[in-house]
Amino acid sequence: MVKTPPPFLTILIFLSLFTYLSESRLNLNYYSKSCPRFNDIMRDTITNKQITTPTTAAATLRLFFHDAILNGVDASVLISSTPFNKAERDADINLSLPGDAFDVVTRAKTALELSCPNTVSCADILAVATRDLVTMVGGPYYNVVLGRKDGRISKASTVEGNLPKPTMPMSQILEIFKKRNFTEQEMVALSGAHTIGFSHCKEFSSSIYNDTNHYNPRFVQGLQRACGDYQKNPTLSVFNDIMTPNKFDNLYYQNLPKGLGLLESDHGLNSDLRTQRFVDMYARDQNIFFRDFARAMEKLGVYGVKTGRRGEIRHRCDAIN
C-alpha cells in the first residue's frame, strides 16, 4: 500500500517546486517588483558611458559574444583570475577585450546593488547593456528576457577552439556555431556586429603583408601604413567598417565584395559559397539584416542560459560569491 505524504509535506513540496519554476522562468518584466528602477538605472548608466566613451557600444557587443558563445550568457568572462584559477578573460583571444565594456557593466552593477542589493545578475546587465548600446548607435531593438543567473565557473582552458578567431577557416567557424544550433545564415547575421568597432593590427597583419588577394589595392596600402609599427605598438588598430565605423548599418556587407573587409574571416564570408548569398542579401537590404540580427541576438541571449539554482547572483561581477 502506497502511503500518502502528510499534508504539510505536500505543501512544502509544492512551494519548493513553485519557487524553482518561478525562479527559472525568463521574462521581460523579471525585475518589475524586485528592482523597480532596473530599467532607469540601466538606461542612465549606459547613456552616460556611451556619451563619454563612444567606443563602448562595440566593446560591449564584443564582450557579450565572447561570453555567450562559450557557455551561454552567464557573465563568466567577467570573472578575474586568482592564484588558483586562470579565468576566461585571461585566455589569449580574450586579452584584447576592451576595458570600457567591463567598466559599463561594473558601473551598472554598482548602481543596482545600491538600489536593490543581491537582485540583478551580471549576466542580465551584460545582455541589456548590449541591446541598449546597439540601439543607441542605430541598430535594431530586440527583446531581452531576464532572469539569468551568473555562472560559477570560468576557466581559460575551455576557450581555445570554442570561440571564432579571425584566422580560422570558414568551415571551423561554421562548426562552432553549428554545435550551438546556429545556422549558417544566423552566423552571417551575427557577423554584422563588425559594422561597428575596431580590430588590432596584429589580428590581420599576416593578411595585409602576405595574402593581399582579397583586398582592394588602395585599402591594403592604407592598412600597411596604419599598421606599420604594430610590432612595437600592439595597441594600433583599424575600424572594422571604414565607411561608417560608429554607425550600426549594413555597410559592412557592402564593403566585402569591394575588397574592403578587414579580417580574414570577413573575406571568408564573401568567398565561401555557404555564406556568400547571405552577405549579398544583407548588403542589398538593411531591413532584412536588422530583422535577422535581432532574431539571432534573441536566440544567442538564451543559449545555455542558467536559471534558478544553476547559478547565483554575484555580489561583484568579477568574482564568484
Side-chain angles (χ1 to χ4, degrees), residues 101-314:
F102 292 91
D103 182 56
V104 73
V105 174
T106 300
R107 290 185 186 200
K109 177 65 171 174
T110 301
L112 287 163
E113 284 298 305
L114 290 171
S115 181
C116 36
N118 199 33
T119 302
V120 181
S121 68
C122 302
D124 276 348
I125 292 171
L126 177 57
V128 171
T130 301
R131 189 270 314 279
D132 289 356
L133 285 162
V134 164
T135 306
M136 280 185 71
V137 293
Y141 181 90
Y142 55 91
N143 288 324
V144 176
V145 288
L146 302 168
R148 296 168 190 77
K149 294 296 175 68
D150 298 321
R152 299 186 180 96
I153 298 170
S154 180
K155 294 187 178 295
S157 59
T158 64
V159 174
E160 185 61 35
N162 287 308
L163 280 178
K165 290 182 178 178
T167 54
M168 281 181 176
M170 190 51 56
S171 292
Q172 193 173 351
I173 294 175
L174 287 170
E175 185 61 27
I176 287 173
F177 282 87
K178 184 180 178 182
K179 284 181 178 177
R180 290 152 179 80
N181 199 32
F182 284 83
T183 66
E184 294 161 357
Q185 182 170 356
E186 287 169 334
M187 188 280 286
V188 178
L190 290 170
S191 297
H194 284 175
T195 185
I196 53 174
F198 56 84
S199 295
H200 290 94
C201 290
K202 63 181 179 180
E203 294 181 70
F204 55 88
S205 57
S206 60
S207 297
I208 62 173
Y209 292 110
N210 304 318
D211 183 19
T212 61
N213 293 334
H214 297 297
Y215 289 97
N216 176 293
R218 290 181 61 190
F219 184 45
V220 80
Q221 289 171 11
L223 291 176
Q224 289 170 351
R225 286 195 298 272
C227 295
D229 205 31
Y230 83 94
Q231 289 179 318
K232 293 180 182 177
N233 182 4
T235 62
L236 285 178
S237 57
V238 177
F239 287 120
N240 292 321
D241 170 8
I242 60 166
M243 297 301 183
T244 53
N246 296 312
K247 184 182 179 185
F248 198 100
D249 55 25
N250 70 332
L251 257 65
Y252 163 75
Y253 298 105
Q254 295 180 26
N255 290 340
L256 298 184
K258 300 173 184 175
L260 300 176
L262 188 62
L263 304 172
E264 193 174 324
S265 55
D266 295 331
H267 298 300
L269 284 179
N270 189 57
S271 59
D272 193 293
L273 292 177
R274 292 167 293 185
T275 54
Q276 186 183 44
R277 59 197 173 111
F278 301 121
V279 171
D280 292 343
M281 181 172 68
Y282 295 148
R284 287 194 307 270
D285 195 322
Q286 180 169 283
N287 290 330
I288 293 177
F289 163 50
F290 276 20
R291 180 200 67 191
D292 289 354
F293 179 83
R295 288 176 179 173
M297 287 294 284
E298 288 181 2
K299 181 176 175 179
L300 187 58
V302 295
Y303 162 72
V305 72
K306 295 169 182 63
T307 56
R309 295 167 189 172
R310 293 179 59 224
E312 64 181 15
I313 304 290
R314 276 188 229 139

